[in-house]
Amino acid sequence: MRSLSLVIFLLASCIATAASADKTTKQKKVALVISGYASQGNPALSYDQEELAQSYLTLFNNGVDIDIVSPQGGAVLVKTNKDDLPYIQQFKNNTQALTQLANTLSAEQAKTQHYDGLFIVGGDGAMFDLPRHQGIQSLIQDFAEQDKPIAAVCHGPAALVDIKLQDGTYFVAGKTVNSFTLTEDQAFKKEHIELYPFIVQTELEKRGANFVSNKPMLPYVEQDGNLITAQNPMSVAKAADALVLKLGLKPKTRALFKDEATFDLLARAENEGLNLIDVEIAKQPDAFDYNYMALYGYYAFQIAKTPEQKQFQLKLMAQLREHVVEFQPRYQLALISANLELDFVEQAKQEYAWWLANFPEQQAPESLIKKLGI
C-alpha cells in the first residue's frame, strides 16, 4: 500500500508540475506602444484612447502581460471625453492601465525587457513621434529583425514606414499591409492632415508595400506573416485578437465593443443585404451605437464617388433612418439633400413630408425648401 501511495503521489506531482510548466509557457508579454506627443503641447495630437482601451482589454482578458510604452516614458495625457463608455470605465477602473499611463516605460527601458509581441496604437500623435523617435524605431526594428509578431492599427503603421532590415530593405517592402486610408484622412482629419509629416497609405506604398483596404470606416485587418495591420478604430480589437493567436494563445470569445459591433453590422449589410440591419437591431437593440450609425450613413454617401456608389449609399441612408433619426434629426435633412443631389426630386419630397411629420417644431433651411420647389 505504501508503494502504491508513493506512486500516486509522484504521479500527482508530475501532473502538477506539467500544468505549472504549461501555464508558464502560455504567459505572454506584449509591449503596447502609444504616442506621447500630446504632452508636448497639443492635446489633440495624442494616442487614440478608444484604440488603447480596446487593445489593452482584449490582450488583458486573454491573460497577456502588458507594458505601456511611450517614446520618452513617464506620464502621458489621459483623456476623459469618453468616460461614459462602459469599456473605458472598465479599462480605467478594472486594470492597472491608469497606473501604467502615469509611468509609461520609455523606449530605452522597453528594449531591456523581453516581449513576445508588439502592438502599436494609432491616433494623430502617432504620426509625429513614433516614426521619428530613435528609441521607438530601434525597438520596432528589433522585432522586425527577429520576426516577432507586430500589430499596428489605424495611424500606428506610420511607425513602420522607415524601418529597415539589416540588408537595407524596407521592412514593409513586398508585404501586404493596411492602415487608415488616404480617403479616410481626407474625410475625417481635415483639421490635422496639413500638419501631418506624411500620409500613411501613401508612404507605405512608396516603401513598396502592397496596400489593401476596405471601404472607408468599415473594419479590415490584414496579416502578412507576423505583421498585422488594421485600417481604423473599428478594426482594433480584431487586430488584438489576431495578435493573441500569433502569440500561440486561443483568443477568448468576447462580446463586441458597441462601435465595433455597429460597423461589423454595416459591413455585413453591404454584402448580405440591407434588411440585415433591421433584423439584427430587432434581435439586440442595445448592442449598437446609433450615433456612429448615423455618421456612417451620412459620410458614406459623401465619400462615394460614382453615381452607382452614391445610389447604393442613399439606399443605406434610407434603411438606417428609422433607427438613427431620434439621435440626429439633421440626418433626415441630409437624406433629403442626398436625394436632391441625385435628382430624385419626388423621393426628396416624400422624405421632406416624413421630416415634417416627425419634427414639426423644426424649421428646414430655406435653401432646401427652394430646391424642393415647395
Side-chain angles (χ1 to χ4, degrees):
M1 288 295 292
R2 183 177 297 176
S3 298
L4 180 59
S5 298
L6 180 60
V7 170
I8 293 173
F9 172 77
L10 291 173
L11 181 60
S13 298
C14 289
I15 293 172
T17 302
S20 176
D22 182 60
K23 183 178 180 180
T24 301
T25 57
K26 289 185 178 179
Q27 181 67 36
K28 302 294 183 179
K29 190 172 184 179
V30 165
L32 195 57
V33 176
I34 63 172
S35 169
Y37 193 74
S39 62
Q40 298 179 27
N42 192 337
L45 301 177
S46 71
Y47 64 88
D48 187 282
Q49 180 179 232
E50 293 96 309
E51 291 181 27
L52 172 60
Q54 290 190 14
S55 55
Y56 190 105
L57 288 171
T58 302
L59 295 170
F60 177 81
N61 290 333
N62 278 282
V64 176
D65 191 13
I66 305 164
D67 280 345
I68 300 180
V69 179
S70 68
Q72 303 295 339
V76 295
L77 174 73
V78 178
K79 296 181 179 181
T80 59
N81 60 314
K82 294 295 181 72
D83 279 356
D84 59 323
L85 296 177
Y87 75 85
I88 295 293
Q89 286 299 311
Q90 183 184 359
F91 168 72
K92 289 185 174 182
N93 298 321
N94 297 351
T95 74
Q96 294 298 311
L98 286 181
T99 301
Q100 291 175 298
L101 289 171
N103 189 27
T104 64
L105 294 186
S106 68
E108 287 71 20
Q109 289 174 315
K111 281 177 66 66
T112 68
Q113 304 294 312
H114 169 78
Y115 297 107
D116 301 288
L118 182 70
F119 195 103
I120 306 171
V121 172
D124 294 295
M127 295 295 301
F128 297 91
D129 56 356
L130 300 188
R132 294 173 173 171
H133 190 271
Q134 185 176 352
I136 290 293
Q137 291 290 285
S138 178
L139 178 66
I140 298 171
Q141 185 176 27
D142 288 347
F143 274 81
E145 290 286 359
Q146 297 173 53
D147 195 29
K148 285 186 173 182
I150 299 173
V153 299
C154 201
H155 285 93
L160 305 177
V161 298
D162 286 330
I163 300 297
K164 289 185 177 181
L165 303 175
Q166 288 184 352
D167 62 4
T169 60
Y170 284 107
F171 171 55
V172 297
K175 286 184 169 60
T176 302
V177 301
N178 177 235
S179 74
F180 208 64
T181 64
L182 171 61
T183 300
E184 288 170 318
D185 268 329
Q186 292 172 332
F188 309 115
K189 297 296 179 178
K190 292 178 180 178
E191 74 278 25
H192 294 148
I193 193 170
E194 292 187 1
L195 302 174
Y196 288 171
F198 55 85
I199 300 299
V200 187
Q201 175 182 343
T202 304
E203 209 66 18
L204 288 168
E205 290 171 336
K206 286 181 180 178
R207 299 298 191 249
N210 172 34
F211 192 89
V212 294
S213 64
N214 201 348
K215 290 182 179 180
M217 296 178 282
L218 296 183
Y220 190 86
V221 177
E222 183 58 46
Q223 184 171 308
D224 191 325
N226 277 333
L227 177 61
I228 300 162
T229 45
Q231 183 167 331
N232 44 41
M234 302 77 181
S235 318
V236 169
K238 291 176 175 57
D241 282 333
L243 181 59
V244 168
L245 189 61
K246 274 294 178 184
L247 295 176
L249 306 177
K250 181 180 178 181
K252 291 184 178 180
T253 301
R254 61 181 177 83
L256 298 183
F257 298 101
K258 269 194 175 184
D259 52 352
E260 181 187 16
T262 301
F263 287 95
D264 263 25
L265 175 58
L266 292 167
R268 288 180 57 202
E270 294 217 1
N271 291 310
E272 300 176 32
L274 299 182
N275 67 301
L276 182 69
I277 293 170
D278 293 343
V279 172
E280 292 302 318
I281 288 177
K283 288 179 182 177
Q284 295 180 292
D286 295 328
F288 308 104
D289 186 312
Y290 297 98
N291 185 51
Y292 274 131
M293 206 171 274
L295 289 173
Y296 182 79
Y298 174 79
Y299 280 107
F301 179 85
Q302 300 300 317
I303 293 171
K305 296 178 180 179
T306 69
E308 293 76 18
Q309 290 172 347
K310 282 190 173 291
Q311 286 187 39
F312 177 83
Q313 297 304 335
L314 178 59
K315 289 181 181 179
L316 177 60
M317 284 186 77
Q319 188 77 26
L320 295 175
R321 181 189 62 190
E322 298 286 349
H323 305 297
V324 306
V325 72
E326 67 178 286
F327 294 89
Q328 268 192 351
R330 289 180 298 176
Y331 181 88
Q332 183 65 18
L333 292 179
L335 181 56
I336 297 167
S337 296
N339 275 285
L340 288 171
E341 183 178 330
L342 296 180
D343 292 325
F344 298 156
V345 179
E346 290 306 314
Q347 183 62 34
K349 289 180 178 179
Q350 292 179 31
E351 297 292 358
Y352 179 64
W354 189 96
W355 187 83
L356 286 174
N358 285 273
F359 302 104
E361 318 85 22
Q362 300 276 348
Q363 180 64 45
E366 288 295 331
S367 59
L368 185 65
I369 295 175
K370 185 176 181 180
K371 288 179 181 178
L372 286 167
I374 297 174

